[in-house]
Amino acid sequence: SRAASPPSPLWALPEELLLLICSYLDAQALGRLAQVCRRLRFLSSRDVLWRRIARGCLNSGFTQLGTDLAAGIPVKERVKVSQNWRHGRCRRETVLKWKCKQVPSFSPSFLMPWMELDGEYLYLSQAENIQAYHLCAEGTGLQRHPQAIFSGHQEDVCRFVLVNSHIVSGGGDGSIVLHKIHGSYSVKFSAHEQEVNCVDFQGGLIVSGSRDRTAKV
């Protein structure tokens, strides 16, 4: 059998001294060091080595005084995201697909769906419905199937808002629908003669504006 390789003298050094040596490396050198072996990968990923690099990066979670505003996220990952943002590198993938909303014939484009992020859920308009998708752990994406569907319009949802556990939506049919997120309660109002372009809900009042040139409370 082949004789075992003698241990590297590098590992005879205390961890404090290894970290001090690695502190002189830049981001590229630390990344290459992490490819040598698992032990060096673990060592080179320590937050203490990446803090100095992160402070010089765009939006890495550190203030000018060095206060860490995102303590729960590894500093190495923050540097990676910052560098990708700076150099325009991104991962292209389709998270969800939905039906397009055809706008009037005088416009050649399509309307994008309206969406709002609320805690662990993404609310997304799709045709005449609003669907709630649960975000997967650690930001890995969305669940494929919606956990809740809010309906009530006869045409596409043009705009909606989330306020105090309620969803207020305006549709292409001129109606406004009020949903309670955690329940089956909903109310539909025949508000306008044409599509509702904007809607808001504050203090128990619904305010809307429409293509019919009216604003209503």
Side-chain angles (χ1 to χ4, degrees):
S1 60
R2 184 175 299 177
S5 302
S8 171
L10 184 67
W11 302 122
L13 299 176
E15 182 175 310
E16 293 78 7
L17 188 54
L18 289 173
L19 291 174
L20 177 61
I21 295 173
C22 292
S23 67
Y24 290 95
L25 302 178
D26 58 13
Q28 186 178 29
L30 284 174
R32 291 176 176 174
L33 185 65
Q35 299 177 7
V36 175
C37 64
R38 293 182 180 180
R39 194 170 179 180
L40 283 176
R41 180 180 181 182
F42 173 77
L43 181 72
S44 62
S45 298
R46 299 283 293 274
D47 283 355
V48 66
L49 297 177
W50 290 91
R51 288 180 182 272
R52 173 183 56 84
I53 301 172
R55 290 174 184 172
C57 294
L58 175 67
N59 196 22
S60 60
F62 288 93
T63 65
Q64 294 182 349
L65 299 178
T67 304
D68 191 352
L69 302 178
I73 304 176
V75 182
K76 178 181 178 181
E77 294 302 316
R78 289 186 253 167
V79 172
K80 178 181 177 182
V81 171
S82 176
Q83 294 296 321
N84 288 340
W85 179 273
R86 179 181 178 184
H87 297 290
R89 296 190 293 261
C90 63
R91 183 177 59 189
R92 298 182 181 274
E93 61 177 323
T94 302
V95 180
L96 289 173
K97 291 184 178 181
W98 52 81
K99 293 180 286 186
C100 293
K101 302 177 181 181
Q102 181 70 58
V103 298
S105 58
F106 54 79
S107 175
S109 60
F110 291 91
L111 291 175
M112 287 294 292
W114 195 256
M115 62 182 69
E116 285 205 27
L117 187 63
D118 182 34
E120 299 179 351
Y121 290 89
L122 174 68
Y123 293 85
L124 176 72
S125 64
Q126 185 171 11
E128 67 275 7
N129 298 322
I130 300 172
Q131 301 181 1
Y133 292 89
H134 187 264
L135 301 177
C136 299
E138 300 179 357
T140 55
L142 303 173
Q143 291 185 348
R144 292 182 59 88
H145 302 288
Q147 287 206 348
I149 299 177
F150 304 92
S151 58
H153 293 285
Q154 300 299 318
E155 296 185 20
D156 289 354
V157 175
C158 299
R159 187 72 60 94
F160 70 87
V161 293
L162 275 67
V163 180
N164 297 331
S165 299
H166 291 79
I167 299 178
V168 180
S169 59
D173 55 1
S175 66
I176 293 175
V177 180
L178 170 67
H179 298 282
K180 190 170 181 60
I181 295 178
H182 304 293
S184 58
Y185 174 79
S186 64
V187 179
K188 183 176 182 179
F189 303 94
S190 298
H192 296 275
E193 296 180 358
Q194 297 185 41
E195 62 263 33
V196 180
N197 294 327
C198 55
V199 64
D200 201 359
F201 179 51
Q202 294 292 336
L205 296 177
I206 298 176
V207 182
S208 62
S210 170
R211 187 180 291 273
D212 64 8
R213 299 184 179 183
T214 64
K216 295 187 177 182
V217 179

